Amino acid sequence: MYQALYRKYRPQTFDDVVGQQSVTETLKTQLRTGRLSHAYLFTGTRGTGKTSCAKILAKAVNCLDPQDGNPCNRCSACRSIDSGACMDVLEIDAASNNGVDNVRALRDDAVYTPAEVRRRVYIIDEVHMLSTAAFNALLKILEEPPEHLLFILATTELHKVPATILSRCQRFSFRRLLPEDIAARLNYVAYQEGIAAEPEAIALLARLADGALRDGLSLLDQCASALTGTLTADAVYESLGLAGDRKTAQLMAAVADRDAARALELFAALYAGGKDMAAMAGELTDLARDLLILKTAPRSGASMLSGVCTDEEVRGLLGRFSAGELLRMTSRLQETASGFARSADRRLDMELCLLELCAPELEMDAQSLNARLTKLEQAVASGRLPAAPAAAADDQEERPPFPDDSDAPPEPGAPSAPPPERAPAGATSAPSALPVGFWTDLVRAVGGELTPGLRSFLPTQVQPDLRGDTLILRVASSFGRKMVDTPETLQRIRAEAGRMLGRPVAVQVAVGSQEQEDRFGQLLAFGRAHEEIFDIK
């Protein structure tokens, strides 16, 4: 019967464990000196060697001929434990035996001396799944166990283990394996199994393993079983069913070109081919993350890539995005993926997401505006766009002012008012100084008519800004805008502000700081100065 590679090549000694030298050397020293604890807690992510080390430790404490802290794997005790026939070494899955009755039965059996080996060992995997009552039942025997008893607990979620359990165990943290360590082990296994694999394929599998050697071996097993020739990077993509080899890069290139039609055509082809929407959003997110990592850390970022696309494809897209754009794209993709669980039409959600990625002008939030401004700034800095020429005030072309809906028509026969002087392009009206304590007094005055939540929100999360006869209430997010921008709230603030200032004022709610508004004004001025080339590709 065929045995999976991760089972066939499970480490049998501490020296075989990959990438956990700090843990294995400490355990070997304790075994050599005889200073063993009665309870151990192994923590770390999946596939990093926790259960393997627990089984090796169970063999080592019972081995009849230990070799420098390692089990010999030849004596009767080692062979019995390896085969699973030893009744004194029990591996318990806490996910399916998490009740207090299961722990009570374990506690009652633990007091008996072992029948076959020197020490009775309980390996409790995924110990965080135990109930609160089960943890309480385990406390006493875990604190003062018989001399023949050894507990080894393993968990991937340390924060769910009670502090009373943690304080009774020696804790060992298993770190994620480096891609080069995983690649070295995969090369060894491929050589032993007669699998011809290119270095690029092994490196890709190591990155896709995401720090878990077991995942890497499972991926190698899957790819090798689907091929008869040499394992290449393209064959890995094809065997694992990833769209990331070419399609994801092409989709990201369409986003970089702002070509929504081509992006939707590629998406339609992937959808027709049975590509899952969540997987597609995940691959695009991983690619955006890879680009952001290389943009931020060009030298050391290569080892952090997810492997969803080849290095050449990732670096070919690198210069086509700014950091602000990548941040916006990553946030938008994550938001779309998280909404799939509640969505009635995932295809529509993904299509809308792609449209927004290709056309950031459809969004007017602060993050999208920042991404567009960053792209313009980089274009000017690189010389692709010239800076706006400084022109004299009398040489500037006079443009008609924007219509103001609040202006009432003049009375018949009344003299027409002179046209207002125009401010330079991109300038905003100068703010008027508010009296000291104005906002605090205003909130106190209208507080009795507001909800408790809004009454506590206004003083700390709203920044007032008086510009002419308009009181602008600045909030940091769209949530704050929803809180404040209601007819009843604005009416009360407008009335009280007019009374305190002695003149009628209008009230508006704006999202973002004054700095963001000024940058947007600069963007408008830049666009007016370069209307013929404003559509940047």
Side-chain angles (χ1 to χ4, degrees):
M1 179 178 176
Y2 180 75
Q3 191 175 25
L5 293 182
Y6 78 87
R7 295 183 59 197
K8 183 176 181 180
Y9 290 92
R10 181 187 290 274
Q12 298 300 315
T13 65
F14 288 119
D15 293 337
D16 292 339
V17 178
V18 177
Q20 309 294 348
Q21 284 76 14
S22 60
V23 175
T24 56
E25 289 300 323
T26 303
L27 292 175
K28 286 171 63 177
T29 301
Q30 290 186 0
L31 287 163
R32 285 195 300 264
T33 59
R35 301 184 63 179
L36 287 169
S37 175
H38 63 278
Y40 292 89
L41 177 62
F42 294 164
T43 70
T45 57
R46 71 189 190 283
T48 53
K50 299 184 299 298
T51 306
S52 295
C53 282
K55 292 182 176 181
I56 295 171
L57 180 58
K59 288 191 297 183
V61 297
N62 290 304
C63 182
L64 303 178
D65 184 23
Q67 307 291 323
D68 191 29
N70 286 309
C72 68
N73 293 315
R74 296 186 301 271
C75 66
S76 58
C78 289
R79 292 198 304 270
S80 176
I81 295 173
D82 279 335
S83 64
C86 182
M87 301 299 296
D88 297 316
V89 177
L90 302 178
E91 185 175 357
I92 302 170
D93 177 24
S96 55
N97 299 277
N98 56 4
V100 64
D101 293 335
N102 300 113
V103 175
R104 285 174 179 168
L106 179 153
R107 186 183 59 188
D108 294 341
D109 292 340
V111 298
Y112 296 107
T113 57
E116 302 179 37
V117 291
R118 286 197 296 262
R119 301 192 69 168
R120 173 167 290 189
V121 182
Y122 284 95
I123 302 174
I124 305 180
D125 204 4
E126 302 298 334
V127 70
H128 65 272
M129 299 292 290
L130 291 179
S131 64
T132 302
F135 273 125
N136 291 333
L138 188 63
L139 283 178
K140 186 61 178 176
I141 193 169
L142 194 64
E143 182 178 15
E144 297 178 359
E147 292 185 359
H148 62 266
L149 194 59
L150 175 64
F151 281 99
I152 307 176
L153 316 180
T155 179
T156 56
E157 300 186 38
L158 180 63
H159 61 281
K160 294 184 178 180
V161 180
T164 51
I165 297 293
L166 297 177
S167 62
R168 289 166 168 80
C169 302
Q170 282 193 13
R171 184 170 63 189
F172 290 87
S173 297
F174 286 69
R175 64 180 182 88
R176 289 181 182 272
L177 275 65
L178 297 176
E180 49 267 29
D181 292 336
I182 298 178
R185 184 66 175 177
L186 293 181
N187 272 319
Y188 169 78
V189 172
Y191 175 78
Q192 294 294 326
E193 293 292 312
I195 302 172
E198 294 182 352
E200 293 79 8
I202 294 295
L204 175 58
L205 289 172
R207 288 202 301 269
L208 291 174
D210 193 24
L213 181 56
R214 182 174 64 233
D215 289 5
L217 289 171
S218 297
L219 292 174
L220 176 63
D221 203 355
Q222 180 178 347
C223 295
S225 62
L227 296 173
T228 55
T230 302
L231 183 62
T232 63
D234 290 338
V236 171
Y237 284 123
E238 183 178 354
S239 299
L240 300 181
L242 294 175
D245 58 344
R246 298 291 181 270
K247 297 298 183 182
T248 304
Q250 292 174 6
L251 200 54
M252 191 64 78
V255 172
D257 293 335
R258 304 288 188 261
D259 191 346
R262 185 156 62 95
L264 291 178
E265 289 175 0
L266 291 169
F267 169 78
L270 291 171
Y271 183 81
K275 187 65 178 176
D276 181 67
M277 297 297 99
M280 187 184 305
E283 290 176 14
L284 282 172
T285 304
D286 290 340
L287 180 52
R289 172 210 173 258
D290 290 349
L291 292 169
L292 188 58
I293 289 292
L294 287 180
K295 180 75 71 173
T296 308
R299 293 185 178 179
S300 58
S303 61
M304 308 181 206
L305 299 183
S306 64
V308 70
C309 285
T310 62
D311 291 347
E312 294 77 10
E313 290 167 337
V314 174
R315 295 185 185 278
L317 292 167
L318 186 60
R320 307 182 67 178
F321 294 99
S322 65
E325 289 178 298
L326 293 172
L327 283 172
R328 178 186 70 88
M329 292 167 56
T330 305
S331 300
R332 186 66 185 87
L333 286 165
Q334 286 183 324
E335 180 183 348
T336 301
S338 63
F340 281 158
R342 306 179 301 274
S343 175
D345 191 344
R346 292 188 175 188
R347 179 179 183 178
L348 178 60
D349 291 346
M350 198 63 198
E351 288 173 341
L352 292 176
C353 177
L354 289 174
L355 286 175
E356 292 178 358
L357 295 183
C358 292
E361 62 272 12
L362 297 177
E363 299 181 271
M364 294 300 292
D365 59 282
Q367 197 172 36
S368 299
L369 292 176
N370 179 66
R372 294 163 63 187
L373 283 172
T374 305
K375 187 175 183 67
L376 281 176
E377 290 169 352
Q378 289 186 348
V380 174
S382 63
R384 290 190 290 118
L385 285 179
D394 53 358
D395 293 337
Q396 293 184 358
E397 181 183 355
E398 191 69 23
R399 298 178 183 272
F402 289 103
D404 189 352
D405 295 338
S406 63
D407 292 342
E411 294 292 335
S416 59
E421 295 183 2
R422 280 191 46 81
T428 56
S429 58
S432 303
L434 286 169
V436 177
F438 168 82
W439 184 242
T440 303
D441 295 340
L442 188 149
V443 173
R444 186 182 298 113
V446 301
E449 303 174 1
L450 303 176
T451 63
L454 187 58
R455 194 159 54 240
S456 62
F457 182 85
L458 288 176
T460 58
Q461 304 298 325
V462 177
Q463 182 66 37
D465 183 12
L466 183 61
R467 292 182 171 268
D469 291 333
T470 302
L471 179 63
I472 301 176
L473 307 181
R474 299 193 181 278
V475 294
S477 64
S478 57
F479 169 76
R481 182 167 193 161
K482 291 179 181 178
M483 288 278 292
V484 180
D485 196 2
T486 62
E488 297 81 4
T489 302
L490 295 184
Q491 176 61 32
R492 291 165 183 163
I493 293 176
R494 184 185 303 111
E496 185 62 27
R499 185 191 65 78
M500 295 175 64
L501 295 173
R503 67 181 190 272
V505 294
V507 180
Q508 296 180 358
V509 182
V511 178
S513 64
Q514 180 60 41
E515 179 184 358
Q516 292 172 335
E517 184 175 317
D518 292 341
R519 289 189 68 194
F520 186 61
Q522 295 170 5
L523 172 63
L524 291 177
F526 187 87
R528 289 172 179 172
H530 300 87
E531 286 184 346
E532 68 280 0
I533 54 174
F534 186 69
D535 187 16
I536 302 174
K537 295 297 184 184

